[in-house]
Amino acid sequence: MSNNDNSPRLIGRKEAAAYCGISPTCFSMWVASHKMPPAIPGTRKWDKRAIDAKLDEISGLDVREKQAETGLQKWRRERDLRRAAREAR
């Protein structure tokens, strides 16, 4: 989505499905299976940026950003995961 795009950022289910290039039924199934984000609470609207983020995630595009983390960032992330796992026991 470009910054020059004048279309609304919030879109309905049919528009969200068209934005993803899938049918509205398929979009609903993707929302139910957490492939797509839920509608904004209290609305029947989806945020294009949230859809973009989920598409990046399921396409593997966010992996590149994670690979760019520094050694310290990686150590902190792994430390936090270990702490969370210990606390969950």
Side-chain angles (χ1 to χ4, degrees):
M1 186 172 76
S2 72
N3 291 337
N4 296 331
D5 186 359
N6 290 330
S7 64
R9 181 171 163 184
L10 298 181
I11 53 178
R13 184 177 73 97
K14 288 180 183 178
E15 294 85 5
Y19 183 70
C20 294
I22 58 177
S23 71
T25 301
C26 183
F27 184 80
S28 293
M29 290 187 333
W30 282 19
V31 170
S33 66
H34 306 287
K35 284 183 183 177
M36 282 293 114
I40 293 175
T43 73
R44 292 183 181 173
K45 299 287 185 179
W46 279 262
D47 184 333
K48 285 184 185 178
R49 290 186 190 168
I51 292 171
D52 288 341
K54 284 302 257 183
L55 288 172
D56 287 350
E57 181 183 319
I58 63 177
S59 298
L61 295 177
D62 69 335
V63 172
R64 291 184 203 148
E65 292 173 11
K66 289 180 182 175
Q67 290 173 345
E69 70 185 350
T70 66
L72 178 60
Q73 290 169 326
K74 179 181 178 187
W75 177 85
R76 285 178 175 162
R77 181 177 48 79
E78 290 172 351
R79 177 199 62 190
D80 293 343
L81 288 171
R82 287 191 300 271
R83 283 181 179 169
R86 277 196 307 265
E87 292 172 4
R89 290 184 208 160

